């Protein structure tokens, strides 16, 4: 398993966990746990692929991840209790920031490969990184946090996508560009969280 | 008109009726009646087809069903009053259970024909059978009932899709497999309703 | 810049403004301003193109409009204050009515060109003209106004699309048909607004 594969599974699990937490807060049943976690984990990438008309969708091509979330949904309640004993809020934020960086840069790469112009590709990166959470909130009948919590979540993603485009134009090595801009997003998210920086 | 055609129209009308009831509860206008009934009747299959990238969509290929729901929306208020005098709640649940079975098995068949792997095809069956109601609730600004009412609605659909896959693998005749698993879903739904069986 | 181009940009800006107003009412941050305005401006056409399986999407092909809404979102708060000093409610309704006419007729034209049957093409026209607002309300966690405000908004759009189909069948010149039916929608909307005509 390469590092990239590992981070992929990691990002999916982090997003699914955020879906499980939301489903538990809403006292949903097991069906709700699965659907909300699924939407949070794959919603951003699926929306991007529908907009780009790319098939097969990620979770169709990787049936195993869907099975994994299904299995986790069956044990999600005890699992969350255990996780909350093991992990601090700080760890969850760090995991989430890593997921944001990975997904955003994966999203912009896919969009550029599909021939999108730069600004649209950056928007697709932000959609991939953040719209799982937006769709989760829509399904759970809440105003999406992303739209009003004043945390620079989408902003970090967009700035990192801009950095990615810039580095790409200057001819930096592809791999370095990818990892550096993903890490930049993670770092920005962590710094703005630690300093409680808000946007208007 | 074959039995299959008949059950198809029947499932659409049952779903549309559930949309009309929701629209009336929300005191919507005629436009709302049409849109909510349309979304409930065709939403699950349309979402499946978008995910599979299949076109033309069912309701584009069968313009007559869209016209039918449009015509029904114009007379939906007196229609519902009449229906409620004629039908008991029991009859509505039976109709709904038949629709769930038909739509789920139609959905998994289409997904397998489109080359989906088995578990994903089963998920597509559940989406076809149940997401009309989920989209109805999202449009009406409610938490989708499917996610939290603890009724084993999606569960019956998923078990029936599993049965379908199993029978298919054992080489049972295609027609028998289709009808038997659709009926199994309907039967499971009715038994769990009659005995008030809940999931966690 | 042709008149058609001008009206296109005009319709997009009118819809984006309605998104900005909604975002301000909900006290959203700048990310929310951008996303809600984007969804309102492009949501109807994007949904139509996904249903028709048309690509590239309008806003992908016209990157400049996405950049424009992004730039406007950054200054949306002072912009709205200025607009409200300059414009009366009457002017906003007129602008909105023009947008409804343009978008509906653009929508039905695209659908017919894609080979849709007439009634479905008319529905696509209504979706293009009105679903930006529906998606805006879904994202903002409200019951879509279109479904329950009893204003004949979708009805004007549908009647105008019917007129378009009729004129097309009688062999009226294509350009005249387009402008006349778009204007008819705008006129119907303004008359029903001025006389406060409601539907059931």
């Amino acid at each position: 398993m390469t590092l990239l594969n590992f981070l992929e599974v990691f990002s999916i699990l982090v997003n699914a966990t955020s879906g499980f937490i939301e489903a538990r807060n809403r006292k949903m049943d097991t069906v709700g746990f699965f659907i909300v976690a699924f939407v949070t984990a794959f919603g951003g990438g699926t929306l991007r692929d529908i907009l780009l008309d790319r098939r097969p969708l990620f979770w169709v091509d990787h049936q195993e991840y869907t099975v994994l979330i299904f299995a986790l949904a069956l044990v999600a309640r005890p699992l969350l209790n255990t996780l909350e004993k093991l992990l601090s809020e700080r760890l969850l934020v760090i995991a989430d920031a890593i997921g944001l960086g990975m997904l955003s840069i994966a999203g912009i790469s896919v969009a550029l490969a599909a021939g999108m112009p730069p600004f649209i590709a950056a928007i697709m990166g932000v959609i991939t990184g953040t719209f799982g959470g937006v769709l989760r909130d829509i399904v759970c009948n809440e105003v999406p946090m992303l739209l009003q919590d004043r945390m620079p979540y989408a902003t970090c993603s967009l700035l990192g996508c801009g950095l990615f485009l810039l580095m790409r134009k200057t001819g930096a090595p592809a791999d370095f560009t990818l990892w550096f801009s993903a890490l930049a997003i993670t770092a920005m998210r962590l710094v703005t969280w630690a300093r409680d920086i808000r946007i208007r």
Side-chain angles (χ1 to χ4, degrees), chain A residues 20 39 55 59 65 76 106 112 134 143 175 180-181:
Chain A
F20 287 143
V39 164
R55 300 288 187 294
W59 48 274
Y65 293 145
L112 288 170
V134 172
V143 180
D175 262 21
F180 188 81
S181 45

Side-chain angles (χ1 to χ4, degrees), chain A residues 88-169:
Chain A
S88 59
E89 195 213 335
R90 182 186 299 248
L91 267 172
L92 279 175
V93 172
I94 294 173
D96 188 60
I98 296 173
L100 180 67
M102 293 302 301
L103 285 171
S104 302
I105 298 304
I108 189 174
S109 305
V110 165
L112 288 170
M116 292 296 110
F119 188 73
I120 300 295
I123 298 282
M124 295 285 178
V126 178
I127 288 177
T128 313
T130 65
F131 262 62
V134 172
L135 292 173
R136 174 199 64 208
D137 293 342
I138 290 178
V139 166
C140 292
N141 200 27
E142 285 168 20
V143 180
M145 268 172 50
L146 184 75
L147 305 182
Q148 60 177 16
D149 68 357
R150 296 174 194 283
M151 309 273 269
Y153 203 82
T155 311
C156 294
S157 168
L158 186 63
L159 289 175
C161 287
L163 177 65
F164 179 86
L165 290 172
L166 212 73
M167 290 178 71
R168 217 165 155 267
K169 206 153 193 178

Side-chain angles (χ1 to χ4, degrees), chain A residues 1-40:
Chain A
M1 193 187 226
T2 67
L3 180 58
L4 204 67
N5 277 144
F6 172 77
L7 284 171
E8 189 177 84
V9 181
F10 181 82
S11 307
I12 289 169
L13 288 181
V14 169
N15 270 1
T17 304
S18 120
F20 287 143
I21 292 172
E22 186 69 29
R24 190 184 53 179
N25 290 348
R26 293 236 152 218
K27 300 191 194 312
M28 289 186 175
D29 56 32
T30 304
V31 171
F33 270 76
F34 172 59
I35 292 178
V36 175
F38 186 88
V39 164
T40 314

